[in-house]
Amino acid sequence: MTRVRLENVTKIYGSVVAADHITFEVESGELFTLLGPSGCGKTTTLRIIAGFEVPEEGKVYFDDEDVTFLKPYLRNTAMVFQNYALWPHMTVYDNVAYGLRIKRKQLGLTEEEIRKRVKWALELVKLEGLENRYPLQLSGGQQQRVALARALVVQPRVLLLDEPLSNLDAKLRIEMREEIKRLQKKLGITTIYVTHDQLEAMSISDRIAIMNKGKLLQYGPPREVYFRPNNLFVADFLGRSNILYGEFLGWDGEYAIVRIPELDMDIRGVATTKDLPRKVAIVVRPEIFRLAEQQPSPKENVMKGVIDLVMFLGDRIEIRLSVSKTDLIVYLPNTLYPTPGQELRIIAPKDNVIVLPAKWE
């Protein structure tokens, strides 16, 4: 298993800074995801790790080896591309064996050893029996499994996946992300995954790095970056959020007090820094609200409003609640039967309200 480290990696295309002093470390055997919108620099960063791009500044290390200028074929990485990149004139067997045959002399492999490794890889991705089919005779999910088998059969030090599920339908994406996580944990291979899909990233990753405009804004375990975003871009990009702006008034013990004009009330929450400016924002996830069934403490974040819209989503109910001069998105249990026009009193627990400086990265 290999540890991957990037130090101040920078890549510029003309006037565009695609990667802006990117620094992070991927632990051995970890599934690490680069997440962000289109054009944020995540694929460029992945290509630098693979050796397809050379950075203007910075270093790339595999364990303690500097591989910044090492040719891609000498790094022993394998990449799975968004479009699968399968040879249409080759069978499944030949597509998977291709990398081994290219490295045959380097690895000292016989045709029998290649056959055994291809068989192992196809069994791993549950495609045994399809060796003689051609890519066009396979479903999208099966083609993706062939691409995975081709990457795994060379037993790379690092597995790189660039938006591997974006061409699949919703149900197949769920199946394949579960399959990728299962394989990655079974093999213990260091894996770096690129996606713009927040749910996909949170469901499979050990850690997530959120990027925007070439910069790495925050990285950590999914639960940490979701519930403790360190800036407004991360808070807004990951999942759904109610973001409201106001004035920082002071402290109530460990909680920041913020005056929110749109709610016509003071809100208490957890600050991401002790050095808060006067203008701040609060971030409230829709799922953290709970119904105020008893008389709450005066220091609780209690809001009363009128239900404007109700949407049943199966696992939950989403409502739009009109509170004072604004609307809040609130998730309720699917066992309730809220109706438009109904008054509702809810609480936003202080420990789940995030207070941030009111600026975007």
Side-chain angles (χ1 to χ4, degrees), residues 258-318:
V258 182
R259 181 67 183 176
I260 304 294
E262 288 181 295
L263 294 176
D264 193 26
M265 64 180 294
D266 297 342
I267 293 288
R268 288 166 171 79
V270 177
T272 58
T273 173
K274 288 294 183 183
D275 189 24
L276 285 172
R278 186 180 65 84
K279 188 177 181 183
V280 295
I282 65 165
V283 177
V284 190
R285 300 285 189 191
E287 68 271 17
I288 67 99
F289 290 105
R290 57 184 173 85
L291 297 178
E293 296 172 345
Q294 298 177 349
Q295 185 61 36
S297 161
K299 290 189 176 182
E300 291 276 13
N301 299 320
V302 183
M303 307 166 195
K304 189 167 80 170
V306 176
I307 297 175
D308 182 52
L309 182 70
V310 178
M311 290 184 286
F312 180 75
L313 303 180
D315 62 336
R316 65 185 183 275
I317 295 170
E318 179 181 316

Side-chain angles (χ1 to χ4, degrees), residues 240 286-287 289 307 309-320 328-340 342 344:
R240 299 192 68 182
E287 68 271 17
F289 290 105
I307 297 175
L309 182 70
V310 178
M311 290 184 286
F312 180 75
L313 303 180
D315 62 336
R316 65 185 183 275
I317 295 170
E318 179 181 316
I319 67 168
R320 188 168 65 201
L328 298 176
I329 301 299
V330 178
Y331 293 161
L332 297 175
N334 61 3
T335 53
L336 299 179
Y337 291 86
T339 57
Q342 177 184 344
L344 200 67

Side-chain angles (χ1 to χ4, degrees), residues 23-316:
T23 297
F24 62 79
E25 184 169 317
V26 182
E27 299 295 336
S28 298
E30 182 177 29
L31 200 163
F32 188 93
T33 296
L34 298 172
L35 174 67
S38 298
C40 72
K42 55 190 185 294
T43 293
T44 297
T45 303
L46 194 75
R47 289 175 62 84
I48 289 170
I49 295 168
F52 300 148
E53 304 282 354
V54 177
E56 270 74 28
E57 298 177 38
K59 298 287 186 182
V60 180
Y61 294 92
F62 286 4
D63 292 328
D64 295 322
E65 178 189 1
D66 184 349
V67 300
T68 309
F69 301 104
L70 197 65
K71 297 292 184 185
Y73 62 87
L74 296 175
R75 298 190 186 200
N76 192 19
T77 63
M79 183 177 277
V80 177
F81 297 93
Q82 181 176 345
N83 62 357
Y84 317 143
L86 301 177
W87 297 106
H89 64 290
M90 290 184 181
T91 63
V92 167
Y93 179 94
D94 289 331
N95 265 286
V96 176
Y98 183 78
L100 292 176
R101 285 172 173 159
I102 291 292
K103 296 183 175 183
R104 185 172 185 167
K105 289 184 179 178
Q106 178 188 339
L107 299 175
L109 294 173
T110 66
E111 191 61 36
E112 177 61 19
E113 288 169 330
I114 290 175
R115 188 190 67 78
K116 287 180 180 178
R117 282 173 66 164
V118 171
K119 183 175 183 292
W120 166 81
L122 289 175
E123 287 176 353
L124 200 63
V125 299
K126 301 176 183 177
L127 284 180
E128 58 268 39
L130 300 182
E131 295 87 345
N132 296 321
R133 290 196 187 180
Y134 290 88
L136 292 177
Q137 296 174 316
L138 304 174
S139 68
Q142 289 171 329
Q143 289 182 48
Q144 186 59 276
R145 289 171 187 268
V146 174
L148 265 174
R150 184 180 58 185
L152 295 170
V153 77
V154 297
Q155 298 176 354
R157 296 173 70 184
V158 182
L159 178 62
L160 307 171
L161 301 108
D162 186 12
E163 301 269 13
L165 308 183
S166 61
N167 290 332
L168 303 179
D169 62 40
K171 186 177 179 181
L172 261 180
R173 276 203 305 272
I174 293 172
E175 290 177 6
M176 283 305 302
R177 76 187 184 209
E178 292 171 354
E179 189 68 9
I180 287 171
K181 185 165 187 174
R182 179 188 71 82
L183 287 171
Q184 193 271 335
K185 293 307 173 191
K186 181 176 181 178
L187 299 173
I189 186 171
T190 304
T191 302
I192 303 174
Y193 192 102
V194 160
T195 184
H196 64 273
D197 187 315
Q198 304 98 313
L199 186 58
E200 190 176 297
M202 287 191 287
S203 65
I204 69 171
S205 309
D206 295 310
R207 285 188 300 159
I208 300 172
I210 296 96
M211 295 183 66
N212 189 39
K213 296 180 181 178
K215 294 185 178 181
L216 195 158
L217 302 181
Q218 182 177 359
Y219 68 95
R223 181 177 292 270
E224 177 185 304
V225 295
Y226 183 80
F227 285 115
R228 289 292 183 267
N230 63 10
N231 63 76
L232 281 180
F233 178 85
V234 174
D236 186 60
F237 188 76
L238 278 179
R240 299 192 68 182
S241 295
N242 297 287
I243 299 177
L244 300 168
Y245 297 88
E247 181 182 357
F248 171 57
L249 300 180
W251 298 94
D252 179 8
E254 61 184 306
Y255 300 104
I257 307 171
V258 182
R259 181 67 183 176
I260 304 294
E262 288 181 295
L263 294 176
D264 193 26
M265 64 180 294
D266 297 342
I267 293 288
R268 288 166 171 79
V270 177
T272 58
T273 173
K274 288 294 183 183
D275 189 24
L276 285 172
R278 186 180 65 84
K279 188 177 181 183
V280 295
I282 65 165
V283 177
V284 190
R285 300 285 189 191
E287 68 271 17
I288 67 99
F289 290 105
R290 57 184 173 85
L291 297 178
E293 296 172 345
Q294 298 177 349
Q295 185 61 36
S297 161
K299 290 189 176 182
E300 291 276 13
N301 299 320
V302 183
M303 307 166 195
K304 189 167 80 170
V306 176
I307 297 175
D308 182 52
L309 182 70
V310 178
M311 290 184 286
F312 180 75
L313 303 180
D315 62 336
R316 65 185 183 275

